[in-house]
Amino acid sequence: MIHEILRMGDPRLLQISQPVPDLAAPELKTLVDDMFETMHAASGAGLAAPQIGVPLRLVIFGYSDPEARNARYPDADPVPQTILINPAIEPVSDEMEEGWEGCLSVPGLRGVVPRYSRIRYRGVDLQGRPIDRIVDGFHARVVQHECDHLDGILYPMRVRDFSRFGYTDILFPELADSDD
Ligand code: NI
C-alpha cells in the first residue's frame, strides 16, 4: 500500500524514533513492503519509516536493478537495495564532502549538504542478518540522510550555504519531469 509521505513542518518528522523491538512481528514485513511501494511511487532513492508516520528505526534505500538509474539522481553511483534496521553509523575519517540532496518530505527543493565522505554502517535486515559495510560517495550520503530521519533531522537543517538551496526545476531544469 502506498502511504502519504509526511512533509516538512509535520512534527512527527522531528521525533526521535524507537528501535525496532521485534523483527518477527508480521506487521514489520508489511511496513517494509509498503515503504518500498511508497518510495518507488515517488521515485525516491531512500525512505525512512518516520516519513510515513511510523517512529521506528528502519530505513530502506537503493535499487534492486544495478543498471537502474534513479530518475531524481541520474548521475549517482548504484546503491544496493537495502533494508536497514536499528542502524548505527560511524565516520571512518573526519573528511567531509558537499553534495546535492533532496528529500521526499521536502518536495521540489534541493540543497548542498556536507556529509562524512566515508562511513561504516551496521544494522540488521528483515531476517536479522547483520549488515556491516564501509561505503563512500553517494551510498554514504544516502545512508547518512536516511538515518538522520530517525533522529528527527531533515537535510535543510544541515545546509550551511543557502545560496545553494533552491527549487529543483530552477537549479536542474533537466530533472524537471521528476515528480518532486
Ligand atoms: Ni529524506
Side-chain angles (χ1 to χ4, degrees):
M1 189 179 97
I2 294 173
H3 291 247
E4 182 191 355
I5 297 174
L6 305 184
R7 288 182 300 148
M8 184 168 64
D10 190 308
R12 289 172 287 179
L13 289 170
L14 303 177
Q15 288 182 310
I16 309 288
S17 291
Q18 297 301 308
V20 174
D22 179 10
L23 293 175
E27 59 268 29
L28 196 61
K29 172 81 168 78
T30 306
L31 171 63
V32 169
D33 288 345
D34 286 358
M35 286 174 65
F36 274 109
E37 205 175 333
T38 302
M39 180 179 84
H40 291 144
S43 301
L47 190 71
Q51 290 182 276
I52 58 166
V54 178
L56 289 174
R57 303 189 80 81
L58 159 58
V59 302
I60 62 168
F61 51 84
Y63 327 106
S64 53
D65 176 1
E67 296 302 309
R69 282 290 184 274
N70 186 288
R72 295 171 72 241
Y73 297 93
D75 300 325
D77 300 329
V79 177
Q81 182 168 288
T82 302
I83 299 160
L84 183 63
I85 299 171
N86 298 337
I89 295 181
E90 54 190 295
V92 172
S93 78
D94 291 336
E95 188 189 332
M96 310 278 291
E97 63 187 43
E98 296 185 318
W100 288 96
E101 295 186 18
C103 179
L104 297 176
S105 293
V106 191
L109 295 165
R110 296 286 175 99
V112 168
V113 182
R115 298 284 186 188
Y116 289 110
S117 302
R118 194 167 163 82
I119 60 166
R120 178 182 187 184
Y121 69 93
R122 286 178 277 191
V124 294
D125 69 11
L126 203 48
Q127 285 75 38
R129 294 177 295 222
I131 294 169
D132 185 348
R133 296 174 180 158
I134 292 176
V135 300
D136 54 19
F138 186 68
H139 190 160
R141 179 169 297 279
V142 167
V143 174
Q144 289 171 86
H145 175 117
E146 295 310 328
C147 291
D148 261 358
H149 279 295
L150 307 180
D151 293 323
I153 298 168
L154 299 168
Y155 85 82
M157 297 156 74
R158 295 200 183 275
V159 169
R160 291 182 190 159
D161 175 3
F162 282 93
S163 71
R164 290 181 295 164
F165 181 66
Y167 292 100
T168 310
D169 59 339
I170 304 296
L171 290 162
F172 303 106
E174 69 278 14
L175 298 181
D177 60 345
S178 74
D179 57 3
D180 74 340

